[in-house]
Amino acid sequence: MNKLLFGTGWHNIETNDRGTFIWSSKESEFILSDNTIRYIDFVFQSDEFTSNSITISHGKFEESFTLVSGINSFKFYPDLSIKSNSKIKIKSVTFCPKNAIPNADDIRELGQRLISISIDGVVVDIAAIMSHVRMFEVNPNKTNTLASMGISTY
């Protein structure tokens, strides 16, 4: 079972010559389905268009990080006093490529480009997590609950 799932606020997975990544929006979430996780490494790739800060929060823990152009890695320690199936929230200033990049026609509001996640030192496949969530989301006749994604709620 996945210990970390994409929640709301994420755009679709993308791939380019630099690899696979996913864009956040102004407010994006992860569902933490296991409260035994000691730390999560988030790796973002920043450039001249993305904001220079990001805030990650979970329960009583909140931490702001400054980003520089290039690769940024942040170790985040979740609030272990919170039970499973809680949300890790990521907040970022967004930009619209159409307004920021000449000849761009992308009108999405993009936050940060997430390129990698590690849980307790083990790299997690972003595409596998997202495909699990997308399979869950594409069935409009199914109730959107954690239990329907195979996450126990005890």
Side-chain angles (χ1 to χ4, degrees):
M1 178 186 344
N2 291 327
K3 294 181 175 190
L4 190 70
L5 298 168
F6 284 94
T8 61
W10 295 97
H11 294 279
N12 290 326
I13 289 280
E14 297 182 43
T15 302
N16 65 15
D17 58 339
R18 295 186 259 178
T20 300
F21 60 93
I22 187 168
W23 285 101
S24 69
S25 59
K26 183 176 182 179
E27 294 185 10
S28 302
E29 299 176 342
F30 285 103
I31 310 255
L32 185 62
S33 65
D34 183 341
N35 67 346
T36 64
I37 293 174
R38 295 173 316 196
Y39 65 91
I40 303 167
D41 285 309
F42 295 102
V43 181
F44 295 94
Q45 186 170 17
S46 189
D47 55 34
E48 67 270 21
F49 303 109
T50 56
S51 72
N52 63 356
S53 66
I54 191 167
T55 302
I56 303 174
S57 62
H58 182 246
K60 62 184 176 184
F61 298 132
E62 180 173 289
E63 197 163 352
S64 292
F65 301 95
T66 300
L67 290 87
V68 297
S69 187
I71 305 298
N72 297 268
S73 180
F74 305 109
K75 189 170 289 207
F76 182 74
Y77 297 87
D79 183 349
L80 297 180
S81 67
I82 295 179
K83 294 185 179 186
S84 297
N85 304 323
S86 58
K87 295 178 181 178
I88 294 175
K89 298 180 180 184
I90 296 180
K91 294 181 182 178
S92 174
V93 174
T94 60
F95 78 101
C96 175
K98 184 174 183 174
N99 299 333
I101 303 169
N103 302 318
D105 58 1
D106 186 348
I107 59 170
R108 297 176 297 166
E109 290 294 323
L110 304 176
Q112 295 296 331
R113 184 185 303 125
L114 179 67
I115 61 171
S116 178
I117 303 170
S118 297
I119 298 174
D120 295 334
V122 177
V123 176
V124 177
D125 183 348
I126 293 174
I129 294 174
M130 184 52 91
S131 66
H132 178 74
V133 174
R134 290 293 180 228
M135 286 188 298
F136 155 72
E137 291 177 344
V138 295
N139 186 348
N141 299 322
K142 193 170 192 177
T143 303
N144 293 343
T145 64
L146 292 172
S148 69
M149 291 191 321
I151 302 172
S152 67
T153 55
Y154 57 88

